[in-house]
Amino acid sequence: VKVKDKNLFFKIVRFSFNMRRKTLWNALKSLKMSKTDMELAFEKSNIDPKRRGETLSIKEFGKLSDCIYELL
């Protein structure tokens, strides 16, 4: 998967799997993004923030990572 920022991509994957029992929304709070930006990133990537990290494909992680990168 090609992503705009490899470090951010791996950080998102790491956060998602460090807290497997948490939703993506809660697991990615560690990124310190505003609530509005976080909502926009999930909306743009077309990923439900209530999903858990292990349910995402690598392509979905890449799409979410790129959307978050654009908002940071």
Side-chain angles (χ1 to χ4, degrees):
V1 173
K2 270 192 165 184
V3 292
K4 295 178 181 177
D5 183 342
K6 287 182 184 180
N7 290 330
L8 178 62
F9 172 79
F10 286 115
K11 191 179 205 179
I12 290 170
V13 171
R14 194 174 322 112
F15 284 157
S16 298
F17 282 95
N18 277 344
M19 302 179 196
R20 283 190 175 175
R21 302 283 303 165
K22 292 193 175 200
T23 62
L24 285 169
W25 180 268
N26 288 323
L28 296 181
K29 281 184 179 176
S30 302
L31 292 174
K32 306 280 191 240
M33 290 179 68
S34 72
K35 182 179 179 182
T36 306
D37 284 347
M38 188 71 87
E39 288 171 347
L40 189 57
F42 280 112
E43 185 179 315
K44 280 183 149 183
S45 63
N46 201 26
I47 295 173
D48 181 0
K50 294 178 186 168
R51 289 175 64 185
R52 301 193 189 288
E54 63 265 17
T55 68
L56 266 65
S57 69
I58 294 196
K59 286 183 181 181
E60 288 176 311
F61 272 116
K63 187 188 281 186
L64 181 60
S65 171
D66 286 347
C67 289
I68 290 173
Y69 176 79
E70 290 172 5
L71 294 169
L72 291 177

